[in-house]
Amino acid sequence: QLFEQCCWEMLLSTGKYPDGHICFHISFLVNKHKPWIESSYHGVITENSDVVLLDPPLVALDKDAPVPYAGEICGFHVHGLSAPFEAVVLNRTSGEGRLRARGPIDCERQREFTFIIQARDCGTGPEGHGEKRSHKAVVHVEVGDVNEFSPVFGQLEYHGSVTEGKVYDSILQVQASDQDCSPQYSQICNYQITSQDTAFAIDRNGNIRNTASLNFDKKSHYKIHVTAFDCGQKRAAQDAVVHIHVQPICKPGWQGWSKLIDYEPGTGSKLLFPKMHLETCVGWVSWIRTTVELETSGAGRGCDRQSHSERALQKLCGASSGSTDLLPAPSGVFNWTATLVADGGRDSDLSYRFDGRQAAKIPDWVVPQNLTDQFTITTWMKHGPSPGQRAEKETLLCNSDKTEMNRHHYSLYVHNCRLVFLLRTDYTQTDSFRPAEFHWKLEQICDKEWHYYVISVDFPVVTLYVDGVTYDPYLVTDDWPIHSSQIDLQLTVGACWQGGEVSKAKFTQYFRGSLSGLTIRSGKIASQKIISCLQTCKEGLDITSPESLRQRIKFHLNPAQSLVVMEGEDLEQMNAALRKVSYINSRQFPTKGARHLRISTAVQCFGEDVCISVPDIEAVVMVMQPSEPRIIITGAEHLTVPASNLALGLSLFRDLHIISTVTNTGTKNYTLFTDKPSGALKEIAHNLDYCDIMVLGEELRAGLESLELHHSALLGKHLEYANSSTGMSIYGVDSISHYTEVIRQVRYQSRQAVDSVRTFRLTCSELNGRYTSDQYMLQVNILHGEEAFEHVNHAMAPPKYMQIIHPTVTESNSYSLGE
């Protein structure tokens, strides 16, 4: 043993034995001990890296140290083919080692590893013979997570619904997930609504709630965006879209209807509620009544009627002739309404507004002189309550003394919402106390709506018709007859003329309201049918295919077609019936604007009188602007005639042609209505209502010059004419061809021609002045003395200025008309 110790000491100091021999030959005496390592290790590795941090550190010890090889650590061995790790020696002498991954470690695939590790020494020599291994130690490695994944929602769109008026704790829940492996990065820690100004909130669990009650009528659908954050505050790459649908509280009422219905003129009947149905919110119902009312107060005189003068309408409705129109459209000789204020504008039926300052005197030649105990007054009136507690009389029509005295012979006035008709007979008819004032008290007089009034006098009985309904006076007062006198009378409209008993004649008792179609005529209107015709609407409600309703729905349509009432026991049948209600306007050029609809409903349930309340609904039928006609007059622009020929009369318009074009809205098409009776283009009735022939310059000299028209020219036509020194008016609703035929027979007669030139202007109108023609000018050159003789000698070769000129009428859109 002593020898061995000395040998070792020499070996360590010199590398030789004492006798000088190399000591490697004694290796069988070196590797006596196994390396030593800890019994277990715990390691951590961050994914996507190869460094493992072990606790405790990887160090192997060998008691053979410091003997070379035997006391050195040459390696570590990892047991387990699935373990993706290897251990390397950092220092053979100290035994320090390092555990590392052989490749990338993915936490999402495997979060931890457990395997065995051993250390080995270097044996007895460089070849590693006689190596010894340590005991087996257990190594547990956990993989550290990296926040590499963003949260992902389970679905990109979510849908939820709420009932209006309620606040919910949770409407729906959104959910997101994260593929990271650790709780820190794989858990969703927060949700957030990214949409601005919403009435919703979201909690940490993804529950969405509304922060305020919602209203279906204001907004029925909400679209909000939601994002998610994991606990590492990484945001979802794509937001989720959440749709919140607001469901209305079941309220009884009509659904599926439109508040605004456009109506294109000329399209006939249009269904008003093609998809409408009634929601009752209850089970079976036993009875339903629905009323549809058309309110047309905004369209002309209550509703669309033919835009003709009242006088013309009476003819069209079958009344005998003889009516005098006291409020005609201002034109030609009918000029006393020119200073009045038109009410409603160009697109409405002709009416006049009186504000307590306007009135008109009717010319003496217009006033009917043959009134007897039978005559009729008709008018449209719109009137409201009078201001003040003690309202004055408001005169519609008054026939009073022109001068000296102030007697009212007959008048029609309103006083305190009562309509009063005054009729004073004179002593030539009777000398006894007679009925003189007839009073009616009706709601219509002051309801600010248009109504049609007919005063039918069959003295001593006076009957009032309002909108075709008969009313007897509630009060009749008697008075003495008026003493006859030679004082002239003055007929006025809008006030009463006070010509006597005052320092200065003036109007008094002004009317405040609107009037239209005021006429007076001798005799009674023959029948109720004519009165109904005069006030009948050209627009109204209709029911499409009423026979399809069978017997399950009872319906009533009033004569004015402004009210439809339906009753039935079956809800679906009632829905089907309402879908058949339509609006129709048969006027060729209807008044544009709004027509208001109101629908009211009553419902009964089984065993109950009234089970639910259905609110009324209101809608508007908007009548669009109709296509407008243009009246074009063509013919000779110059005529030349010897003065001597004028005594027999000159046909002024023998070459006249009248054409009316209607431009179809939105197109370049034209419909023609001409004076030519062949009528291939004349598809529908198209009438004029007056033509004025005006004398320009000096008026016709009485007894020397005149415009003449033989009465035979009017036979078989709905035409009349009036003549004066300023011209001639031909009026009445009749066809273009009839007007042309009559105007061609108008002759200018001069018994003593002084002027060398006379100029005439012709204009025509339809729809009571709503549409007027262009101004057709005709110049008549009158030749005197030698000029006339020269004219005769050159009759075979007339000069250029005598030629009949047919101007070409050019329309826009490259459309032209010519003879």
Side-chain angles (χ1 to χ4, degrees), residues 330-335 633 652-653 690-700 706-707 722-730 743 746 748 758-764 774-780:
S331 66
V333 297
F334 304 106
N335 56 6
I633 303 175
L652 294 174
F653 307 104
Y690 70 80
C691 286
D692 284 339
I693 304 169
M694 300 299 297
V695 179
L696 301 185
E698 294 185 6
E699 296 183 2
L700 299 177
S706 63
L707 292 176
N723 207 349
S724 73
S725 61
T726 60
M728 177 182 291
S729 287
I730 302 171
I743 294 173
V746 173
Y748 167 59
R758 267 295 188 188
T759 304
F760 300 90
R761 182 183 67 202
L762 172 63
T763 57
C764 293
D774 56 347
Q775 294 184 355
Y776 166 67
M777 310 293 290
L778 173 63
Q779 179 176 306
V780 178

Side-chain angles (χ1 to χ4, degrees), residues 458-746:
D458 188 5
F459 197 80
V461 177
V462 177
T463 304
L464 171 67
Y465 299 88
V466 181
D467 298 330
V469 179
T470 306
Y471 295 93
D472 293 325
Y474 79 94
L475 174 65
V476 178
T477 59
D478 296 338
D479 203 346
W480 291 104
I482 291 178
H483 292 280
S484 59
S485 69
Q486 300 300 316
I487 301 174
D488 292 334
L489 302 181
Q490 178 65 64
L491 183 63
T492 56
V493 174
C496 204
W497 181 252
Q498 189 172 4
E501 301 177 358
V502 291
S503 58
K504 183 179 180 180
K506 63 178 182 179
F507 284 111
T508 186
Q509 300 177 4
Y510 283 99
F511 178 68
R512 292 178 176 84
S514 296
L515 297 176
S516 179
L518 177 60
T519 69
I520 187 169
R521 65 189 302 276
S522 177
K524 295 190 301 181
I525 289 184
S527 67
Q528 181 78 27
K529 182 179 179 180
I530 295 176
I531 295 176
S532 298
C533 172
L534 291 173
Q535 58 96 34
T536 296
C537 288
K538 288 293 182 179
E539 65 178 335
L541 301 174
D542 196 12
I543 300 177
T544 305
S545 304
E547 66 278 357
S548 62
L549 300 179
R550 300 175 185 159
Q551 302 298 322
R552 306 190 68 176
I553 298 293
K554 298 179 181 179
F555 65 90
H556 167 72
L557 184 63
N558 71 338
Q561 291 186 256
S562 62
L563 187 71
V564 176
V565 181
M566 297 182 172
E567 293 184 8
E569 299 177 354
D570 187 274
L571 177 60
E572 290 304 317
Q573 288 287 332
M574 181 60 70
N575 289 336
L578 260 293
R579 296 186 193 118
K580 294 180 180 293
V581 176
S582 60
Y583 169 82
I584 188 169
N585 194 320
S586 59
R587 274 187 61 179
Q588 184 179 356
F589 304 107
T591 305
K592 71 175 182 179
R595 310 323 193 238
H596 295 273
L597 288 165
R598 178 184 294 273
I599 300 179
S600 55
T601 308
V603 179
Q604 290 182 0
C605 299
F606 289 97
E608 302 179 41
D609 291 337
V610 177
C611 56
I612 60 173
S613 176
V614 178
D616 293 351
I617 64 173
E618 294 184 356
V620 171
V621 177
M622 185 61 68
V623 178
M624 310 305 289
Q625 174 70 49
S627 303
E628 296 189 354
R630 181 182 176 189
I631 308 168
I632 302 168
I633 303 175
T634 61
E637 294 182 354
H638 299 273
L639 292 178
T640 301
V641 62
S644 59
N645 290 358
L646 293 179
L648 299 176
L650 171 66
S651 295
L652 294 174
F653 307 104
R654 58 176 176 263
D655 198 47
L656 178 77
H657 291 285
I658 302 176
I659 300 170
S660 182
T661 63
V662 179
T663 308
N664 296 328
T665 304
T667 71
K668 298 181 180 180
N669 297 327
Y670 287 80
T671 303
L672 302 183
F673 306 93
T674 74
D675 52 25
K676 300 176 182 178
S678 57
L681 298 173
K682 189 174 179 181
E683 300 174 358
I684 56 177
H686 195 72
N687 298 322
L688 302 177
D689 49 23
Y690 70 80
C691 286
D692 284 339
I693 304 169
M694 300 299 297
V695 179
L696 301 185
E698 294 185 6
E699 296 183 2
L700 299 177
R701 292 164 297 183
L704 297 178
E705 293 179 288
S706 63
L707 292 176
E708 301 292 338
L709 178 63
H710 199 278
H711 285 284
S712 61
L714 304 178
L715 293 177
K717 303 175 181 64
H718 296 290
L719 296 177
E720 300 177 64
Y721 77 96
N723 207 349
S724 73
S725 61
T726 60
M728 177 182 291
S729 287
I730 302 171
Y731 52 91
V733 179
D734 214 330
S735 66
I736 291 177
S737 59
H738 278 180
Y739 264 94
T740 304
E741 181 182 338
V742 170
I743 294 173
R744 286 174 179 172
Q745 299 182 57
V746 173

